[in-house]
Amino acid sequence: MPENNSQIRNGTGGMISAFISSPSAGGIVLILASAAAIIIANTALRESYEGFLHAYIGGLSVEHWINDGLMAIFFLLVGLEIKRELIVGALSSWSQRALPGFAAIGGMAVPALIYVWFNADNSATLQGWAIPAATDIAFALGVLALLGSRVPASLKIFLSALAILDDMGAVAIIALFYTSDISLWMLAGVTAMLALLLGLNRAGVTRLLPYLLVGGLLWFFMLKSGVHATVAGILLALFIPLQGNTADSVAPLERLEHGIAPWITFLILPLFGFANAGVALTGMTFDDLAAPVPVGVALGLFFGKQIGVFGLAALAIVLGLAKRPENSSWMQVYGVSVLCGIGFTMSLFIGNLAFAGSPELVDEVKIGVLAGSVVAALVGMLILRFSGSPARSGN
């Protein structure tokens, strides 16, 4: 009997380990957390759910701690990935940046234009133009992982590089267009912390603790400066060393990236989904669902992303400025372009910034993001599933 119990425990532990190490695990957990929020928001537990999010701890609500605090750690991971890919990864040369670069530009511009088309006559909703411009890398790569060997590795690299450039654009948009009243004193504090980080970097410090301590102060000053606090995560990442102090040592950037990635995948992003996906559908009419904001967001994500990403990628390839991903067909490139319409995490994040103080508009954003992302995921997955054998040429 003990042997049977041990076998059961080992088998269960193996299943859990296999799930956690799966590329699609993060997306699955995020989907479950978001679905739980939607269900709770449409039951008698709705008041308790909203009460939990609006409870104050240490001067900030739980919702703000998640969106301004924990998400800064998520943006730190994004920044680490950006730095690594730009220096030693899939974006380390101009030739490698060409195809995802063109695709990212199209994938941000066209969705924004579609949103503007539907909201041009309303200055209040027009400020949400950037909501459909973002791609959720975790979800999109999770869908690709479910398809396994049907999708060539080159397309996964292309999507990863595109999403990273997309994230760079999203961070720039947040910093430039969704900044409140600026405090020059707090920006001076931000500058001082950046100078300290630069000093640590130039001095060859490879211990992570000094960087993280200064990063915590950087986050505080950024929070109080009027620039969104999550930008601190990106800035901190830029100063984390990519080289260890010996040839055999693991680089501080890699140690930090590997250390925080599981927490972000299985705690921070699910918490974000749980806190931000809950939308009450009861009492909504067709007119509510067909309002300019949800329609602009949904169509921007589904149609805008595929038109922009595939259109500019194809143009770059035809003009000889870039090459099609190795062993991929045009239909597979198109399928990945459709998957880029999964904008869940970043789109919801930007929606909260664009319509802070307007909960009814935030709910409309949630509807549009959920609709556009779900359709993009399903259609993109079907296209890739039935796109046939990959081509044997990268031309």
Side-chain angles (χ1 to χ4, degrees), residues 208-259:
L208 285 172
L209 183 59
Y211 290 97
L212 297 180
L213 290 176
V214 176
L217 293 173
L218 174 65
W219 174 83
F220 172 79
F221 286 120
M222 193 71 76
L223 177 69
K224 299 296 184 180
S225 71
V227 180
H228 200 270
T230 52
V231 176
I234 293 285
L235 293 176
L236 172 60
L238 299 180
F239 295 96
I240 303 297
L242 190 53
Q243 301 293 333
N245 51 12
T246 66
D248 298 328
S249 63
V250 178
L253 185 145
E254 292 183 5
R255 280 190 281 125
L256 183 57
E257 188 176 0
H258 294 157

Side-chain angles (χ1 to χ4, degrees), residues 165-186:
L165 292 174
D166 196 289
D167 284 341
M168 291 175 66
V171 171
I173 288 170
I174 291 168
L176 294 174
F177 298 101
Y178 296 110
T179 294
S180 55
D181 295 333
I182 294 294
S183 168
L184 295 179
W185 285 109
M186 291 300 159

